Amino acid sequence: MMDSLPTLLWAGIKFTIPLTLLSFTFGLALGLLTAVARLFGPMPIAAIARFYVWIIRGTPLLVQLFVIFYGLPSIGILLDAFPAALIGFTLNVGAYTSEIIRAAISSVPKGQWEAAYSTGMNWSQAMRRTILPQAGRVSVPPLSNTFISLVKDTSLAAAITVPELFQSAQRIVATTYEPLILYIQAALIYLALSSVLSHLQSRLEVRFARYGGMLEANR
């Protein structure tokens, strides 16, 4: 375990963490656009957004990765393993976060829109300055859970040859023939990452709850 630990940690630093951060960042942006399109977009755009969410949520993530990495070359689209994984995880995160953001925006009382308009704000200003800050506070817990799940889901990238943490463990197993030890070690590293993120999530929720209490007190 001590001999393999540096290799697994390096794979996590070089591939697992960047893949998680990039996928979540791009997926969150995609999710926001999708949620806004479904709530406020014209009918054709809203229909496309609903179709995208339906497809992604209704199919397994592993199948989506296989379609992108192994399927697209049959129509002339060749992608390296890491970009293919990044696209797959981004699309997946975008679909799920769009539902979270859509529900959070819908939970903001209509009176907040009216109050923003009464101060002379237009739609984009009201959304940016009034609605999204309140929706963001509501969506922190589910978005944090999505991020933590994404850290573990990146292990699926091993199936399309991304040399992240789990595939590094698989490669070491192929030479040492110690699957129990290596897979437990990989699981412990994922557990450590998830535990740290869960602690940060708890602190973030407390901070936002305190901020929300101050807002309520000031009304």
Side-chain angles (χ1 to χ4, degrees):
M1 291 183 73
M2 293 305 298
D3 291 339
S4 60
L5 183 60
T7 302
L8 296 182
L9 290 178
W10 177 244
I13 294 171
K14 188 176 181 181
F15 291 101
T16 300
I17 293 177
L19 182 59
T20 302
L21 293 176
L22 290 173
S23 298
F24 189 77
T25 301
F26 295 148
L28 188 61
L30 178 60
L32 177 60
L33 292 175
T34 304
V36 171
R38 292 190 64 182
L39 287 171
F40 308 106
M43 186 63 67
I45 301 298
I48 293 173
R50 283 195 300 270
F51 180 76
Y52 153 65
V53 173
W54 173 66
I55 288 291
I56 298 299
R57 294 183 68 195
T59 55
L61 175 56
L62 184 60
V63 174
Q64 296 165 18
L65 293 174
F66 270 56
V67 168
I68 294 170
F69 186 68
Y70 295 112
L72 292 183
S74 64
I75 59 173
I77 302 176
L78 301 175
L79 295 171
D80 291 334
F82 189 88
L86 179 58
I87 292 171
F89 286 121
T90 296
L91 291 174
N92 191 269
V93 170
Y96 282 94
T97 56
S98 72
E99 291 296 279
I100 295 172
I101 296 171
R102 184 173 66 89
I105 292 175
S106 299
S107 70
V108 177
K110 185 179 179 181
Q112 295 298 308
W113 286 99
E114 297 171 351
Y117 289 145
S118 68
T119 61
M121 295 185 190
N122 56 32
W123 184 90
S124 61
Q125 291 173 329
M127 174 65 75
R128 188 173 65 254
R129 298 178 183 178
T130 303
I131 305 304
L132 285 182
Q134 296 182 60
R137 181 165 56 88
V138 173
S139 61
V140 163
L143 287 178
S144 299
N145 290 333
T146 299
F147 183 73
I148 294 172
S149 296
L150 179 61
V151 173
K152 296 174 287 184
D153 288 343
T154 55
S155 61
L156 294 175
I160 59 171
T161 71
V162 176
E164 46 72 62
L165 194 157
F166 184 64
Q167 198 192 61
S168 295
Q170 289 180 312
R171 290 177 175 178
I172 298 174
V173 167
T175 58
T176 61
Y177 302 101
E178 293 287 352
L180 180 61
I181 294 175
L182 268 300
Y183 290 147
I184 287 177
Q185 186 177 22
L188 290 175
I189 294 174
Y190 282 114
L191 180 62
L193 288 173
S194 299
S195 299
V196 171
L197 292 173
S198 296
H199 177 69
L200 293 176
Q201 175 189 354
S202 299
R203 297 190 58 148
L204 191 62
E205 289 178 9
V206 169
R207 182 173 181 177
F208 272 87
R210 190 176 303 158
Y211 174 72
M214 291 174 60
L215 288 180
E216 293 295 333
N218 291 331
R219 287 179 184 173

